[in-house]
Amino acid sequence: MAISSEKSVAEGKVWSLCKLPSFWSSTNNASPSASSSSSFRNHPDNGLPGDHQPSRHNPSAKLPSMNIKSFLPTRRRLSLDPPNKLYFSYEPGKQVKSAIRIKNVTKAHVAFKFQTTAPKSCYMRPPGGILAPDESLIATVFKFVEPPENNEKLVGKKSRVKFKIMSLKVKGDMDYVPELFDEQKDEVAVEQILRVVFLDVERPCAALEKLNRQLAEAEAELEARKKPPEDNGPKIVGEGLVIDEWKERRERYLARQHVDGVDSV
């Protein structure tokens, strides 16, 4: 009997250890609807910790405003060709050229500007400008290629020199000045960071052929811009004598009418 009593006492201790806490048993005895309703009454916001939702007792409370625009990608104003690289022929000790076509793809006038990490050895032509809607031009980039150390060729390797093209929407056709980007810093967008890639002139490739073609087009555009625009207005002959073309035609017509009238008489 003593042994059986000891077993019952031991089993009772084990069960006492396995008993659930009083608050757990009380909640389990309650109905699910009652527990859910009580939890909603205790937490009127019904949100996760840290959420700021308007309470039923304070309808004037507002959700924090989120700047959704900041999460959206910036729309490109310019189209670049090549899109993210500047190709140069690898000629150590010489000044080489690259070319990139810049096109305005918006319905407004857009200003662009070049920047480089090596302003002492690189410069751009033009360094900036304003493009009308759908207008494009080919910019030429000049760079001095320093001789490598230990006669190591840099063909196909990354260069530390980088270029950046920025854009700014402007109001109509106006004269370009670099200060535009300083005056409207909040409206300036970085279009692209261009990496420098050297091409081996002894090994023709598609990139090298395209580079030479763009450089020729850039020179042709530059020569066309140098030519003075054609003036279809009044012609200046001699020392300030202005001849109106329409007046000249009228005089010839009247003279011809006079001759025809004399002949008829």
Side-chain angles (χ1 to χ4, degrees):
M1 293 296 292
I3 295 173
S4 61
S5 62
E6 290 177 0
K7 286 183 178 181
S8 61
V9 173
E11 289 176 357
K13 290 181 178 180
V14 173
W15 283 106
S16 64
L17 292 175
C18 296
K19 284 183 180 180
L20 295 174
S22 59
F23 70 89
W24 183 266
S25 60
S26 63
T27 54
N28 285 342
N29 293 333
S31 61
S33 59
S35 61
S36 61
S37 61
S38 62
S39 63
F40 272 86
R41 284 196 299 270
N42 294 333
H43 304 281
D45 292 343
N46 300 326
L48 295 175
D51 288 350
H52 302 281
Q53 298 184 0
S55 173
R56 290 179 298 176
H57 305 289
N58 187 13
S60 61
K62 297 181 179 179
L63 290 171
S65 59
M66 296 180 64
N67 189 3
I68 301 177
K69 187 178 180 181
S70 60
F71 293 96
L72 298 176
T74 305
R75 184 180 178 183
R76 300 290 184 184
R77 298 167 179 158
L78 303 174
S79 173
L80 308 178
D81 183 25
N84 53 10
K85 296 176 183 178
L86 281 177
Y87 294 98
F88 292 88
S89 58
Y90 185 69
E91 301 179 49
K94 295 182 180 180
Q95 186 183 67
V96 294
K97 295 185 293 184
S98 181
I100 181 171
R101 178 172 289 277
I102 306 173
K103 182 179 180 180
N104 180 6
V105 295
T106 68
K107 296 181 179 179
H109 286 72
V110 174
F112 71 91
K113 180 182 178 181
F114 271 101
Q115 281 189 344
T116 178
T117 56
K120 293 183 179 180
S121 62
C122 305
Y123 72 94
M124 291 68 66
R125 187 181 67 191
I130 296 179
L131 296 175
D134 294 329
E135 184 183 2
S136 66
L137 61 80
I138 297 181
T140 308
V141 184
F142 298 83
K143 174 177 171 53
F144 178 78
V145 182
E146 297 180 357
E149 298 178 0
N150 302 325
N151 295 326
E152 181 184 4
K153 283 190 175 183
L154 297 178
V155 175
K157 294 185 178 181
K158 294 182 179 180
S159 174
R160 296 181 180 179
V161 180
K162 294 181 180 180
F163 294 84
K164 179 168 65 175
I165 296 183
M166 300 180 295
S167 67
L168 174 66
K169 185 178 178 181
V170 295
K171 296 180 180 180
D173 191 10
M174 57 189 301
D175 294 333
Y176 170 78
V177 288
E179 289 75 17
L180 287 172
F181 288 82
D182 297 330
E183 297 171 356
Q184 305 180 41
K185 291 182 179 180
D186 297 336
E187 302 296 329
V188 175
V190 177
E191 290 290 331
Q192 189 61 263
I193 303 294
L194 303 171
R195 185 168 60 89
V196 173
V197 177
F198 290 109
L199 301 175
D200 192 350
V201 294
E202 297 178 357
R203 295 181 179 180
C205 60
L208 186 60
E209 293 177 0
K210 183 177 180 179
L211 171 61
N212 294 331
R213 185 170 61 252
Q214 284 188 327
L215 288 174
E217 292 178 4
E219 291 297 328
E221 289 183 2
L222 180 62
E223 293 298 327
R225 288 196 297 268
K226 287 181 179 179
K227 293 181 179 179
E230 296 182 0
D231 188 5
N232 297 325
K235 299 178 181 179
I236 301 178
V237 181
E239 298 180 357
L241 180 61
V242 179
I243 300 177
D244 191 339
E245 185 177 356
W246 292 103
K247 184 179 179 181
E248 186 179 4
R249 289 182 180 179
R250 184 172 179 273
E251 290 177 353
R252 288 199 300 267
Y253 173 77
L254 293 176
R256 189 166 54 252
Q257 291 290 333
H258 179 70
V259 171
D260 293 343
V262 172
D263 293 341
S264 62
V265 172

